[in-house]
């Protein structure tokens, strides 16, 4: 007694949905919006993940990053180097820096110190502008390339500054701003170099180099009255094989220098990009939660419409039962109808999601990724939605008493 | 048990009770019905409104499961048949004709007729072919793709009968099949039922119209949830041991009697 009614059910669902087009379309819209947002998030999220992976590869693997404080929550990690913990004193000091330089196998050491304050030039600097005080070694560690001019160096004037390309345009109205002057903390700086656009505001230094000005570490110290606040120290070992040894040595040296207090963390390899990664995942997570809400609302829409459909067709259910439909047949009939809504809505949502992702990516530094995982997720979400939210109305239909149903007036 | 007659009982009800409501509001729609219906009978069930005719029909048609008492279908107690199997029996063995036709308004005529076939596992195309064939028998083949609301009452009921017969069921249950029809259409429908009966189908028909019982082979009247009279169980007029008086003779006798009285 095998009865494959699936084709009949599909035909039936098609007929039923066509008979109330507007209603079906509006219900599908709920699913479409939910699936579209999920698709867009996933596609863009994979794109962002790709950017980070590229960066890790670019780092070459022989870089260690020292940050003040112990890493507990990776999300805090990324916020720490930024200067928004203004009144918290960094545990990294100048003496740490001097000691680090003496460790064997360390090739380059660069402290990162972001300063508060405003930049005064021809035009005011945008709000997100960073003032970074560092040593010339940063160019080597973080692979900073110059568009024109030169990077900081011991041989040139202390009052030199290197600006990002975008900042150069914002401040001076030109990309070629060498020789232009600006004032930071009452001190005049002369632009000696303009950086090549990196176009990756997401990086392990948490500094968008396109929008920052880089000054000498010694000047940074001076501006802060010799009270340096080092947010991060980048260290490069001479070879990837020596990195482990270098990390151990750094740990020993710093512990000794900090009187045995472990108030710093040393990050290598994946750990460096992890905070960025984590941040991305948490952003994606929050957006996904919003998408989940829209999916839930869309699902409620399906359930609502299916309950209306079941109520409208109570008599039909009675007739079908009298003519030999079993409860399971009725259950599947309505379940397939709700699945039809959610799957069609899901397919449209997948397409719309990618359209949105590509439009949004025009304004971002990365592009969406098309892969089977996203398609599978979108499909799974639609099927699960159709089943979960269609089940209750379908069960209600299946369980209805045939005689009551037949006596119901249309 | 040796079967003595050709006609075997298909439906056997023993002390069937159906209760509505609870406590003070308790009322019995069926209050102890004993009934045996044999294969090939055309049973007309009559009685006033609310005497339990339709309830009885629904129980026989396996639509109503909440009752007390015994119901055997083809010698098998219905209680022991699974719900799924019961649905299958409804689709294969039972044809239902309703008073208010009960076509699915959303589906066209041919799809309505093909509906029972769907549930007995016939493919869509085949079921439409079979439905088309049966509609031809009812002279409705030109209306196949009409919607139910585009047909007259008589035509709709013919569609409903076609639908009830499309699975070639052995038992046909008709709940006031002519209740909503004019007398001309009623007789057409009744002729159809009579024709079905003549080819050996069991028909159980609920009706209010005493005229229609002439088509039936057995008439049952119900009253207050019980069977009041049953034409089969009524004592048949016994054959007289002596020869009946000839009609002519009797007439003569009577006239003679009358004449004597007048005198």
């Amino acid at each position: 007694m095998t009865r494959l009614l699936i084709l009949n059910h599909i035909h039936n669902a098609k007929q039923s949905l066509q008979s109330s087009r507007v209603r079906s379309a509006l219900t599908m819209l709920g699913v479409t919006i939910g699936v579209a947002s999920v698709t867009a998030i996933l596609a863009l999220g994979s794109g962002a993940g790709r950017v980070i992976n590229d960066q890790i590869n670019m780092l070459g693997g022989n870089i260690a990053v020292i940050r003040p404080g112990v890493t507990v929550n990776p999300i805090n990690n990324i916020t720490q180097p930024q200067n928004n913990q203004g009144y918290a004193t960094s545990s990294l000091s100048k003496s740490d820096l001097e000691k680090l330089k003496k460790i064997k196998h360390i090739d380059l050491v660069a402290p990162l110190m972001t300063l508060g304050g405003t930049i005064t030039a021809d035009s005011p600097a945008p709000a997100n502008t960073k003032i970074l005080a560092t040593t010339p070694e940063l160019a080597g560690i973080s692979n900073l390339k110059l568009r024109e001019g030169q990077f900081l160096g011991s041989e040139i004037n202390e009052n030199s500054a290197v600006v990002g390309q975008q900042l150069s345009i914002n401040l001076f109205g030109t990309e070629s701003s060498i020789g232009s002057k600006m004032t930071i903390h009452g001190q005049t700086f002369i632009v000696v170099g303009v950086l090549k656009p990196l176009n990756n505001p997401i990086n392990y230094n948490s500094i968008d180099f396109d929008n920052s000005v880089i000054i000498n570490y010694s000047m940074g110290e001076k501006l802060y009255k010799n009270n340096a606040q080092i947010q991060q120290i980048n260290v490069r070992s001479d070879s990837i094989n020596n990195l482990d040894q270098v990390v151990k040595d750094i740990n020993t040296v710093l512990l000794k220098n900090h009187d045995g207090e472990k108030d710093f963390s040393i990050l290598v390899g994946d750990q460096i990009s992890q905070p960025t990664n984590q941040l991305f995942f948490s952003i994606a997570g929050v957006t996904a939660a919003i998408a989940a809400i829209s999916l839930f609302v869309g699902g409620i829409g399906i359930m609502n419409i299916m309950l209306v459909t079941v109520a409208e067709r109570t008599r039909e259910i009675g007739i079908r039962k009298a003519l030999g439909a079993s409860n399971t047949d009725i259950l599947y009939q309505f379940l397939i109808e709700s699945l039809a809504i959610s799957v069609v809505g899901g397919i449209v949502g997948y397409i719309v999601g990618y359209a949105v992702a590509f439009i949004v990516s025009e304004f971002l530094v990365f592009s969406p990724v098309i892969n089977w995982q996203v398609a599978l997720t979108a499909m799974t979400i639609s099927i699960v939605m159709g089943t979960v939210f269609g089940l209750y109305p379908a069960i209600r239909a299946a369980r209805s008493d045939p005689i009551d149903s037949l006596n119901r007036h249309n | 048990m040796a079967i003595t007659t050709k006609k075997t009982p298909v439906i056997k009800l023993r002390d069937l009770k159906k209760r509505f409501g609870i406590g003070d509001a308790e009322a019995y729609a069926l209050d102890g019905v004993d009934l045996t219906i044999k294969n090939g009978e055309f049973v007309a069930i009559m009685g006033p409104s609310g005497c339990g005719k339709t309830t009885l029909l629904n129980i026989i048609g396996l639509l109503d499961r909440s009752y007390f008492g015994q119901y055997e279908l083809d010698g098998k107690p219905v209680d022991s048949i699974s719900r799924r199997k019961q649905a299958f029996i409804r689709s294969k063995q039972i044809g239902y004709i309703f008073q208010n036709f009960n076509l699915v308004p959303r589906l066209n005529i041919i799809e309505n007729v093909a509906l029972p076939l769907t549930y007995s596992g016939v493919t869509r195309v085949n079921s439409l072919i079979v439905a088309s064939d049966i509609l031809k028998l009812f002279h409705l083949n030109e209306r196949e793709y009409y919607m139910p609301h585009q047909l007259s009452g008589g035509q709709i009921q013919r569609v409903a009968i076609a639908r009830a017969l499309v699975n070639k069921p052995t038992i046909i249950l008709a709940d006031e099949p002519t209740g909503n029809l004019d007398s001309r259409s009623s007789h057409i429908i009744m002729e159809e039922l009579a024709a079905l009966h003549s080819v050996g189908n069991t028909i159980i028909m609920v009706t209010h119209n005493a005229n229609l019982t002439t088509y039936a082979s057995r008439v049952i009247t119900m009253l207050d949830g019980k069977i009041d009279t049953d034409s089969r169980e009524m004592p048949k007029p016994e054959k007289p041991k002596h020869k009946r008086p000839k009609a002519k003779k009797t007439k003569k006798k009577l006239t003679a009697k009358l004449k004597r009285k007048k005198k």
Side-chain angles (χ1 to χ4, degrees):
Chain A
M1 204 173 77
T2 47
R3 291 186 290 171
L4 249 173
L5 295 176
I6 185 105
L7 287 176
N8 282 295
H9 288 326
I10 290 172
H11 181 84
N12 214 341
K14 195 179 134 202
Q15 228 168 17
S16 158
L17 296 182
Q18 277 176 346
S19 67
S20 47
R21 277 166 213 264
V22 179
R23 187 210 278 178
S24 313
L26 288 175
T27 316
M28 279 176 194
L29 191 66
V31 186
T32 301
I33 291 170
V35 173
S37 40
V38 169
T39 307
I41 290 160
L42 288 179
L44 290 173
S46 323
R50 187 175 278 183
V51 169
I52 291 156
N53 285 340
D54 288 350
Q55 267 183 31
I56 294 168
N57 293 337
M58 209 180 70
L59 289 176
N62 55 347
I63 285 172
V65 168
I66 306 160
R67 285 178 185 159
V70 181
T71 312
V72 184
N73 185 349
I75 308 297
N76 291 342
N77 230 345
I78 193 159
T79 55
Q80 271 168 350
Q82 293 168 357
N83 207 14
N84 56 3
Q85 292 185 332
Y87 35 84
T89 316
S90 169
S91 58
L92 298 174
S93 64
K94 199 184 174 185
S95 73
D96 292 337
L97 200 61
E98 298 305 325
K99 295 252 161 62
L100 284 176
K101 280 180 182 164
K102 287 174 191 154
I103 295 174
K104 244 192 187 173
H105 298 304
I106 283 192
D107 185 15
L108 297 168
V109 176
L112 267 71
M113 174 181 171
T114 44
L115 285 82
T118 50
I119 304 165
T120 321
D122 300 357
S123 321
N128 60 347
T129 308
K130 283 259 170 66
I131 304 162
L132 174 68
T134 185
T135 55
E137 283 80 23
L138 183 71
I141 298 174
S142 291
N143 205 16
L144 299 175
K145 296 261 163 39
L146 286 148
R147 191 179 171 276
E148 56 184 35
Q150 66 165 109
F151 201 69
L152 305 171
S154 50
E155 72 282 3
I156 58 166
N157 195 326
E158 247 196 335
N159 283 6
S160 307
V162 175
V163 291
Q165 193 195 22
Q166 188 54 48
L167 184 65
S168 169
I169 295 167
N170 290 339
L171 288 178
F172 309 109
T174 170
E175 294 170 2
S176 315
S177 57
I178 290 181
S180 306
K181 285 178 188 169
M182 62 177 123
T183 313
I184 303 167
H185 280 256
Q187 192 84 35
T188 308
F189 288 86
I190 299 164
V191 178
V192 293
V194 179
L195 291 172
K196 255 189 189 169
L198 281 169
N199 208 16
N200 61 340
I202 314 134
N203 57 51
Y204 67 97
N205 288 319
S206 305
I207 287 162
D208 179 7
F209 284 107
D210 292 350
N211 278 307
S212 30
V213 53
I214 304 170
I215 59 170
N216 270 310
Y217 177 70
S218 52
M219 279 309 290
E221 257 182 337
K222 248 184 222 169
L223 293 180
Y224 267 14
K225 315 287 183 241
N226 282 333
N227 191 10
Q229 287 291 306
I230 300 171
Q231 274 88 32
Q232 178 171 319
I233 301 173
N234 292 355
V235 176
R236 194 171 86 177
S237 71
D238 52 5
S239 132
I240 194 162
N241 301 326
N242 293 330
L243 191 64
D244 284 349
Q245 186 56 45
V246 165
V247 168
K248 268 183 205 162
D249 291 346
I250 293 171
N251 203 25
T252 331
V253 168
L254 289 185
L255 266 181
K256 204 176 157 196
N257 209 28
H258 288 208
D259 303 326
E261 182 69 39
K262 172 93 176 151
D263 53 1
F264 56 90
S265 35
I266 307 163
L267 309 170
V268 281
D270 278 356
Q271 293 171 331
I272 301 172
S273 56
Q274 208 175 20
T276 337
N277 236 332
Q278 288 280 352
L279 184 74
F280 253 103
F281 283 129
S282 52
I283 291 170
V286 170
T287 333
I290 296 165
I293 292 169
S294 62
L295 280 174
F296 186 73
V297 173
I300 298 284
I302 293 185
M303 193 187 268
N304 206 0
I305 285 303
M306 287 313 294
L307 284 173
V308 171
T309 310
V310 169
E312 267 183 1
R313 285 205 245 140
T314 310
R315 204 181 166 86
E316 181 187 325
I317 295 164
I319 298 169
R320 283 178 184 270
K321 281 194 172 176
L323 297 180
S326 67
N327 286 3
T328 328
D329 293 332
I330 301 292
L331 183 90
Y332 281 133
Q333 183 191 332
F334 285 96
L335 205 55
I336 283 172
E337 199 167 318
S338 72
L339 269 173
I341 295 176
S342 70
V343 169
V344 173
I347 291 169
V348 177
Y350 178 72
I351 296 164
V352 171
Y354 264 110
V356 168
F358 275 104
I359 292 167
V360 168
S361 71
E362 289 295 308
F363 306 100
L364 294 176
V365 290
F366 47 86
S367 47
V369 176
I370 299 179
N371 57 17
W372 61 269
Q373 285 97 330
V374 178
L376 187 74
T377 313
M379 206 62 205
T380 313
I381 287 172
S382 343
I383 290 172
V384 168
M385 250 177 107
T387 316
V388 168
F389 291 99
L391 202 59
Y392 171 65
I395 289 176
R396 232 169 103 139
R399 288 204 182 148
S400 62
D401 182 64
I403 295 160
D404 287 348
S405 310
L406 279 171
N407 291 339
R408 187 81 65 89
H409 287 287
N410 276 347
Chain B
M1 195 178 80
I3 297 164
T4 45
T5 50
K6 273 185 187 176
K7 290 181 177 179
T8 50
V10 277
I11 292 160
K12 217 172 176 182
L13 307 172
R14 284 288 162 271
D15 195 27
L16 199 71
K17 284 181 180 174
K18 166 82 183 176
R19 190 182 63 190
F20 284 109
I22 43 165
D24 292 347
E26 195 175 84
Y28 281 92
L30 293 178
D31 195 6
V33 171
D34 293 308
L35 182 64
T36 305
I37 295 170
K38 288 181 178 172
N39 203 359
E41 277 188 305
F42 189 157
V43 183
I45 302 173
M46 291 191 58
S49 291
C51 70
K53 308 184 295 288
T54 303
T55 309
L56 181 66
L57 207 63
N58 286 337
I59 291 172
I60 292 173
L62 304 177
L63 286 176
D64 196 341
R65 292 163 56 95
S66 52
Y67 56 84
F68 304 102
Q70 277 187 317
Y71 172 18
E72 280 179 24
L73 184 67
D74 281 336
K76 238 185 150 183
V78 165
D79 290 341
S80 70
I81 305 172
S82 73
R83 270 172 188 256
R84 200 179 171 80
K85 185 89 179 143
Q86 284 191 14
F88 194 68
I89 291 171
R90 281 204 299 273
S91 80
K92 278 282 188 196
Q93 209 181 340
I94 297 171
Y96 227 111
I97 303 166
F98 301 92
Q99 176 181 11
N100 42 12
F101 324 127
N102 273 339
L103 297 190
V104 179
R106 207 157 63 71
L107 304 179
N108 61 31
I109 299 308
I110 192 163
E111 282 171 332
N112 261 297
V113 174
L115 210 52
L117 291 169
T118 314
Y119 293 114
S120 54
V122 183
T123 61
R124 198 178 144 73
V125 176
N126 282 346
S127 65
L128 289 179
I129 293 169
V130 175
S132 175
D133 287 346
I134 200 151
L135 279 172
K136 240 172 241 168
L137 289 180
F138 286 86
H139 309 289
L140 285 162
N141 47 331
E142 284 170 9
R143 303 275 190 273
E144 277 177 4
Y145 290 95
Y146 279 47
M147 298 308 280
H149 64 89
Q150 292 169 310
L151 299 188
S152 71
Q155 283 171 327
I156 293 177
Q157 192 59 302
R158 261 149 62 207
V159 173
I161 294 175
R163 184 180 67 181
L165 299 179
V166 75
N167 262 336
K168 301 189 173 60
T170 50
I171 303 167
I172 292 153
L173 304 175
D175 189 359
E176 303 198 36
T178 60
N180 282 346
L181 299 178
D182 57 283
S183 67
R184 211 180 92 86
S185 303
S186 295
H187 279 283
I188 294 170
I189 297 298
M190 288 314 296
E191 290 296 336
E192 305 277 12
L193 288 178
L196 290 171
H197 175 230
S198 66
V199 292
N201 287 304
T202 311
I203 299 176
I204 303 166
M205 178 182 74
V206 165
T207 183
H208 266 123
N209 190 340
N211 292 336
L212 301 179
T213 57
T214 50
Y215 291 93
S217 64
R218 179 180 174 191
V219 180
I220 293 169
T221 55
M222 286 183 71
L223 194 65
D224 299 334
K226 288 182 179 132
I227 289 179
D228 192 31
T229 62
D230 185 341
S231 67
R232 201 179 67 174
E233 280 164 23
M234 275 184 203
K236 279 181 185 170
E238 278 177 35
K239 273 190 178 176
K241 283 168 191 168
H242 48 86
K243 274 188 175 180
R244 268 189 182 176
K246 289 258 169 67
K248 223 176 174 182
K249 226 176 174 177
T250 325
K251 204 180 170 184
K252 270 183 184 171
K253 270 186 183 172
L254 281 169
T255 44
K257 235 183 183 176
L258 284 168
K259 275 177 186 171
R260 272 206 298 276
K261 271 190 178 174
K262 276 181 184 173
K263 278 178 186 177

